[in-house]
Amino acid sequence: MAERRYDPHQIEPRWQALWARERTWEVANEAGPDGRGDQRSAAASDAEQALSSYVLEMLPYPSGEPHIGHLKVYSVGDAIAHYHRRTGHRVLHPMGYDAFGLPAENHAIKTGVHPRDSTAASIESFQREFRRWGISIDWSRELATHDPRYYRWTQWIFLELFRAGLAYRKEAAVKWCPKDQTVLANEQVDAEGRCERCGAIVEVRQLEQWFLRITDYAERLLNDLDGIEWPEHVKTMQRNWIGRSEGAEVTFRCEDLDPAHPIDYPVFTTRPDTLFGATFFVMAPEHPDVLRLVEGTEHEHEVRDYVNHALNESNEERGNAEKEKTGAPLGRTVTNPVNGEQIPMYVADYVLMEYGTGAVMAVPGHDERDHAFARAYGLPIRRVIAGASEPPRPTFTDKDSQVQADWGLTDESLPYAGEGPLVNSHPDFDGMPSREALGAIVQWLDREGKGHASVNYRLRDWLISRQRYWGCPIPIVYCEKCGMVPVPDDELPVRLPDIEDYTPKGRSPLAAAEEWVNTTCPSCAGTARRETDTMDTFVDSSWYFLRYCDASNEQAAWDPAVLKEWMPVDQYIGGVEHAILHLMYARFFTKALADLGHLDFHEPFKALFTQGMVTKDGAKMSKSRGNVVSPAAIIERYGADTARCYILFIGPPDQDADWSDEGMEGVHRFLSRLWRLAVEVSGTGEEVPHAAPPRVGTCADPPSAHAPTGDPPHAVGHGPAHVQARTAEGGDDDLELLRKAHWAIDKVSGDLRRFAFNTAIAAVMELLNECSRLRDRTGVDTQRFALATAASLLFPFAPHVAADIYDRLTGERVWEQSWPQVDPELLERDEYELVCQVNGKLRDRVQAAAGADTEELKELCRAAPNVQAHLDGKQIVKEIVVPGKLVNLVVR
RNA sequence: GCGGCGGUGGCGGAACGGUAGACGCGGAGGCCUCAAAAGCCUCUGUCCGCAAGGGCGUGUGGGUUCGACUCCCACCCGCCGCACCA
């Protein structure tokens, strides 16, 4: 007989062909008799309706070929999908492509290849690779976000949001490159404020942009985190991003312009207890009133210059907290509502227009930034909270001390951001602990109509306009008569026109497509122009998980009844880099669509798993570093099973892992040994297993007869088989191997539930090692059972070789078998090794009977030879017994 | 600065408060072979010791406990988010 060598290139395509031919992983929506899932899966018995499970990995952005990160997510997801299937679930496990986006467009600009073509090529290579990896995907539901059949519904959702007032247009400051004549994303502006492409100094322009009102959902996005099984760190990131702060809105009045018509400037503060320490007032450079306040005054020139300078700073520059504080006086004052003081107004870039009201009260005694500004501009610093270490000082009464306190000269301990009793404030509040004073002052403000308790969020509305070609068109037209008009639903999709020149010039590249832009108003039939911006690609991916459920529905985005069957996603898997944006947007869409009556659930992803990065030589893989590991090359050489298994074996999947070629060879050796031993035990040699007959044609049904190869196969996972094996073979070694198999079932099952694939695979390795060790001392049935169990447990990680082995050993299709059940009796042992400790140190090990009671165990321990040596006349003062484990003698 | 995650052999990593180092890699020795590759077997934290055995060992320093990689307190280092958010 020819040398039996494990050859994944023989094995893998054969099983892939079978799964493709029989559409094994497709699952129908109705859990009825036509449901393929039911028909195929033995786990779903006719008697009881199978539970449904939706296992989803984040959809890939198709660019080039899949990289090692893709191999990792889909290996994890596929393991979970298989495990769910074999534990009685009908599993939805689809695939799609996040096909719109900037990289494809930039690539197109560089190479001249149309984004549609480069995307199509890339999708093809992803499809090919995913099939080669043997991922169990329901290909019947495949989608791509750039497909009009998909984005038609993206546009419909946009219009739903628009009609509900959740999509709106607003002027916003955007980065504008005067040379390229285009809006730039913040990421496209370098640290010096230059355009990434042409190097021109970027300007800030106020342009009308589309926003989605995600801030309406801030509170719910925050609170509902409590009800979902997500990693704590992801929830924390989302909480931080939402950034809820409690405080008060307080009104500062300016009467300088026209005393008859005072202007009220509300500010948000988390520390209303420090209001008495407010010694100046600062506005953001973008604040619409800044220029108005200085118009025609001696300050106008300076302020104008300052504002221009500030607006042109890069985000990075402006956001640097270490930077010296800069600003300019407005020459105006506002009234501090709590004490009537007139305090000077400034403009400074450390105040952000996007947060709060775009203006702040400055309390230099108790805020670091205000303090720095006060120092730089010689403004008074007043302590109004006594430090914890410092006893409350009496309120200053005489003039001299007041001046001293105001200038903060005596106080090196300022700024002090902590809590403490109030000082220098008002007789009603002085001495009151700050926490208490906070409430009292807010109440007082409320009574006086000068403020109220308020909650502020860091989260801002989502700007979705992109002045780009390769994205989903926004289905709005502008009519001279009717204004902004949504494209009627029955005219969707608004197709992305086929243009020749998609390089950005003027505005969006789409603006150049005159024929497309010029249209008629759906409302009055007059001339109108289309919106030329496209949507942020995150819009596309905020609802794709819904579409999979009902992917071929041409009448609606989905049928709510179908969603009921699958949603929410039971297990979502993806990179932690999406912890904030994608996951927040998808949650927002779900809630908004639920409010509009389209969904009856409020969270899209019940459980989330975030996988770590794969590095090489400790560094992120990149072309420039030359340390890229290509999945295609690995699979070419070792096969998909080895690659998939290794990437799961390398370490805990939620952590970063460093790729090692030697480590992978180890896994390959393991699969080889397993396969070779299985071939030997089954006696099938090189023959092709019969569950995957070559060239059977397109039979819809699997071959019905599974001719057993010799001995009747053990039904893995059913009690009687073990007993049979046990009595048939009878030997101690048989029993030991049987026990090891059940130990492995127990271990792998538990590990799978907690995503510990590395230790699960290690357990199968142990089982194989035991099979090899006891090879000559155990009967063939026991070997067959142990190896079939190993294959069965390995199937979620290395499906091809596992299917092959299982078939050789049992003639059955492993994926149709329910997950092996552990026999609790076989987990127990008659005897075990009792650990004997003296003062907590291991001194001996002795054999103890499983049923031995506490007294017997103590006795065994005391009698252990090496324990004796360590007792040595000392007195035993305490004996700790952990039955089944150890005895610890405490001696003195 | 705030938040999160992590620190265990030569390496990747295992360990419900109960035998630290499973499993794999690497290394050493052996078998097989004319030879090599592949495969198989044994050993492999460290120090002392011929051995039996013992000492030391999970970033550092304390604490709780019969017993701590694990729990508590205070630090150090590394990585990742967010960051002038009032």
Side-chain angles (χ1 to χ4, degrees), chain A residues 6 11-12 15 19 75 78-79 82 86 133-134 639-646 648 667 670-671 674 761 764 790-806 814:
Chain A
Y6 167 57
I11 296 168
E12 294 178 356
W15 293 96
W19 296 329
S75 297
D78 209 36
H82 279 310
R86 294 187 55 207
W133 297 355
D641 285 332
T642 296
R644 292 177 56 172
C645 234
Y646 173 61
L648 296 177
V667 169
F670 156 63
L671 295 180
L674 178 62
I761 293 166
V764 181
S792 181
L793 296 174
L794 195 65
F795 178 71
F797 319 117
H800 315 87
V801 67
D804 201 74
I805 291 170
Y806 200 88
V814 64

Side-chain angles (χ1 to χ4, degrees), chain A residues 480-520:
Chain A
E480 277 170 32
K481 263 190 273 175
C482 312
M484 195 155 55
V485 182
V487 174
D489 286 356
D490 59 11
E491 287 177 27
L492 298 181
V494 173
R495 283 175 185 269
L496 189 62
D498 239 345
I499 61 171
E500 284 305 308
D501 186 7
Y502 28 75
T503 53
K505 43 169 85 102
R507 296 185 56 203
S508 163
L510 282 180
E514 279 297 321
E515 267 178 45
W516 178 83
V517 173
N518 294 316
T519 183
T520 53

Side-chain angles (χ1 to χ4, degrees), chain A residues 619-631:
Chain A
K620 199 170 171 170
M621 292 183 195
S622 72
K623 272 186 204 152
S624 56
R625 254 192 216 94
N627 62 346
V628 176
V629 176
S630 141

Side-chain angles (χ1 to χ4, degrees), chain A residues 147-156 472-473 475 487-496 516 530:
Chain A
D147 183 336
R149 290 171 298 178
Y150 179 87
Y151 71 66
R152 168 185 182 175
W153 303 111
T154 306
Q155 293 173 342
W156 172 77
C472 175
V487 174
D489 286 356
D490 59 11
E491 287 177 27
L492 298 181
V494 173
R495 283 175 185 269
L496 189 62
W516 178 83
R530 290 190 188 279

Side-chain angles (χ1 to χ4, degrees), chain A residues 224-510:
Chain A
D224 291 355
L225 285 172
D226 295 336
I228 47 182
E229 300 157 43
W230 284 24
E232 209 41 57
H233 68 277
V234 175
K235 289 191 188 184
T236 306
M237 279 194 229
Q238 293 223 339
R239 288 191 187 105
N240 291 345
W241 189 258
I242 295 167
R244 183 183 196 272
S245 346
E246 281 183 29
E249 205 165 280
V250 185
T251 305
F252 285 67
R253 176 163 289 188
C254 175
E255 295 172 300
D256 287 6
L257 286 187
D258 177 3
H261 298 98
I263 315 167
D264 281 341
Y265 290 113
V267 300
F268 175 75
T269 176
T270 51
R271 292 296 301 270
D273 51 317
T274 65
L275 254 169
F276 290 92
T279 55
F280 56 100
F281 187 92
V282 193
M283 288 178 139
E286 297 88 348
H287 197 289
D289 279 7
V290 165
L291 294 175
R292 180 177 150 206
L293 283 163
V294 293
E295 212 171 348
T297 71
E298 51 176 321
H299 295 282
E300 181 171 359
H301 188 72
E302 186 192 351
V303 168
R304 226 172 246 290
D305 280 355
Y306 182 76
V307 168
N308 277 338
H309 160 79
L311 295 187
N312 283 318
E313 271 177 316
S314 69
N315 273 9
E316 201 178 326
E317 225 179 332
R318 180 160 169 194
N320 181 6
E322 311 293 286
K323 192 184 80 165
E324 285 225 356
K325 294 284 175 283
T326 60
L330 299 181
R332 306 285 187 187
T333 61
V334 287
T335 311
N336 184 340
V338 293
N339 55 15
E341 276 180 15
Q342 293 296 308
I343 55 175
M345 297 177 85
Y346 283 80
V347 57
D349 66 357
Y350 79 91
V351 175
L352 309 174
M353 192 61 215
E354 314 88 77
Y355 186 77
T357 61
V360 301
M361 66 175 204
V363 183
H366 303 283
D367 180 280
E368 227 174 278
R369 300 151 300 173
D370 298 342
H371 186 89
F373 192 82
R375 288 252 174 216
Y377 287 81
L379 292 158
I381 298 164
R382 186 187 302 161
R383 175 185 279 278
V384 291
I385 306 283
S389 55
E390 197 177 11
R393 291 192 222 154
T395 301
F396 295 102
T397 45
D398 70 282
K399 195 81 180 139
D400 288 350
S401 323
Q402 181 69 52
V403 168
Q404 266 204 346
D406 267 355
W407 289 87
L409 296 175
T410 54
D411 221 334
E412 285 299 309
S413 62
L414 291 180
Y416 170 65
E419 296 182 0
L422 264 64
V423 294
N424 287 329
S425 295
H426 184 276
D428 286 357
F429 303 115
D430 279 335
M432 196 184 274
S434 45
R435 215 177 265 259
E436 204 180 303
L438 192 151
I441 289 174
V442 172
Q443 271 186 17
W444 180 85
L445 286 167
D446 218 347
R447 275 201 307 276
E448 297 286 315
K450 291 172 173 174
H452 54 87
S454 166
V455 173
N456 222 300
Y457 299 94
R458 204 191 80 110
L459 183 71
R460 295 167 211 158
D461 275 344
W462 175 12
L463 197 168
I464 59 156
S465 305
R466 294 292 180 270
Q467 291 71 31
R468 285 295 189 149
Y469 169 68
W470 192 233
C472 175
I474 295 174
I476 293 284
V477 301
Y478 300 96
C479 166
E480 277 170 32
K481 263 190 273 175
C482 312
M484 195 155 55
V485 182
V487 174
D489 286 356
D490 59 11
E491 287 177 27
L492 298 181
V494 173
R495 283 175 185 269
L496 189 62
D498 239 345
I499 61 171
E500 284 305 308
D501 186 7
Y502 28 75
T503 53
K505 43 169 85 102
R507 296 185 56 203
S508 163
L510 282 180

